[in-house]
Amino acid sequence: RRMKARAPPPPNQASATSRIHSEQKSPAETAVISDQNLVSMKENMINRSVDFTVVLPSGVEQKSTVQGSKAVMDLLVDLCSQYRLNPSQHSLELKSSGAQPPLSYKPNTLVGALDVQTVLLKEKVPEEKTKRPLPRVPEKSVRLVVNYLKTQKTVVRVSPEVPLHNIIPAICEKCEVSQEHVVLLRDGITGEELELTKSLEELGIKEVYAWDRKRGELRLKAVAAE
């Protein structure tokens, strides 16, 4: 006996089978489709016109439109050329909105890849050239002979150009004399006090006598008591 041929599947069954196959696409096929969609979105962003507000260094605002395929560094050159500015002395700050921080970009970043709403054309602050410090001239100093306690001597290196009251601390430290009671004398015979507002050069001396007024008074009292 001859077998009857199998009837073709109903139309709804075929569509269900194809739907199952489409639902069972491999992850690789799905990734390819998603990548294609991403590339298509990027192309649409790059090919579109981008409208934004330009804020000039003076604060004046201007409306501008460029193609999204333009690089940021080319945008800087075009804007500077349009407003007669020097590109090397200016930079761009791109913002998506006023409250948001500036957008980060590279010179070759395409404008269409950024959500730009405001372009601030800023003048660069000239960096001060670091000046080499002048060679420090060693401070002039001389050896000052200090006589103290009548029989003691010491040497202090001080500046000959400053007033004497500036070198008194160094003398007192060396001689262990109190600054409150010290008196500088020209010599140990006449007892002439030196003017503390004058320098060693002005006085023409390289030797002084440090007199401790307090010790002198105590000595006088002791002599009187005897």
Side-chain angles (χ1 to χ4, degrees), residues 93-224:
E93 183 177 298
L94 310 181
K95 286 191 171 185
S96 59
S97 65
Q100 296 294 327
L103 299 170
S104 60
Y105 64 89
K106 295 180 179 180
N108 59 351
T109 301
L110 301 182
V111 177
L114 302 168
D115 183 19
V116 180
Q117 294 183 13
T118 306
V119 174
L120 286 84
L121 189 55
K122 291 190 168 185
E123 186 175 1
K124 292 181 180 179
V125 178
E127 296 181 0
E128 293 184 1
K129 294 183 179 179
T130 54
K131 297 180 181 179
R132 289 186 177 182
L134 295 174
R136 188 174 180 180
V137 179
E139 186 178 351
K140 184 179 178 181
S141 63
V142 295
R143 290 162 58 89
L144 175 66
V145 178
V146 182
N147 299 273
Y148 67 104
L149 296 179
K150 290 191 175 181
T151 59
Q152 302 295 319
K153 279 192 177 186
T154 188
V155 176
V156 183
R157 184 164 286 279
V158 295
S159 170
E161 301 173 348
V162 300
L164 291 183
H165 62 74
N166 285 6
I167 65 176
I168 282 181
I171 293 174
C172 292
E173 182 181 358
K174 192 81 172 180
C175 302
E176 297 181 355
V177 180
S178 172
Q179 294 185 37
E180 299 176 0
H181 307 114
V182 72
V183 179
L184 297 184
L185 307 177
R186 184 178 290 273
D187 55 55
I189 301 173
T190 63
E192 178 189 352
E193 292 190 20
L194 297 172
E195 293 184 43
L196 301 182
T197 57
K198 292 187 176 181
S199 65
L200 295 175
E201 280 190 353
E202 291 174 319
L203 295 170
I205 58 176
K206 294 184 179 180
E207 185 174 3
V208 297
Y209 288 75
W211 172 257
D212 190 334
R213 186 184 291 111
K214 186 175 181 181
R215 290 183 180 180
E217 290 175 355
L218 290 175
R219 188 176 293 108
L220 288 175
K221 286 182 181 179
V223 171

Side-chain angles (χ1 to χ4, degrees), residues 24 38 42 44 47 55 60 66 73 91 114 118 133 138 148-149 188:
Q24 292 180 349
L38 186 60
K42 286 184 177 180
N44 292 336
N47 293 329
V55 182
V60 176
V66 298
M73 60 181 175
S91 62
L114 302 168
T118 306
Y148 67 104
L149 296 179

Side-chain angles (χ1 to χ4, degrees), residues 1-7:
R1 298 176 60 182
R2 191 177 290 181
M3 299 285 293
K4 289 184 178 180
R6 184 176 296 179

Side-chain angles (χ1 to χ4, degrees), residues 17-141:
T17 305
S18 62
R19 186 171 65 253
I20 291 172
H21 282 298
S22 64
E23 291 176 354
Q24 292 180 349
K25 286 183 178 179
S26 66
E29 291 175 334
T30 306
V32 170
I33 294 174
S34 62
D35 288 345
Q36 290 174 349
N37 292 337
L38 186 60
V39 170
S40 177
M41 288 174 61
K42 286 184 177 180
E43 288 178 352
N44 292 336
M45 291 175 64
I46 292 172
N47 293 329
R48 68 185 175 93
S49 295
V50 180
D51 300 323
F52 52 85
T53 301
V54 180
V55 182
L56 301 178
S58 60
V60 176
E61 296 185 0
Q62 300 285 349
K63 298 294 184 181
S64 184
T65 301
V66 298
Q67 287 296 317
S69 57
K70 185 179 290 293
V72 175
M73 60 181 175
D74 295 332
L75 176 62
L76 171 63
V77 173
D78 290 351
L79 291 176
C80 288
S81 175
Q82 182 178 349
Y83 298 108
R84 297 180 181 179
L85 300 172
N86 189 342
S88 64
Q89 297 176 358
H90 293 79
S91 62
L92 294 183
E93 183 177 298
L94 310 181
K95 286 191 171 185
S96 59
S97 65
Q100 296 294 327
L103 299 170
S104 60
Y105 64 89
K106 295 180 179 180
N108 59 351
T109 301
L110 301 182
V111 177
L114 302 168
D115 183 19
V116 180
Q117 294 183 13
T118 306
V119 174
L120 286 84
L121 189 55
K122 291 190 168 185
E123 186 175 1
K124 292 181 180 179
V125 178
E127 296 181 0
E128 293 184 1
K129 294 183 179 179
T130 54
K131 297 180 181 179
R132 289 186 177 182
L134 295 174
R136 188 174 180 180
V137 179
E139 186 178 351
K140 184 179 178 181
S141 63

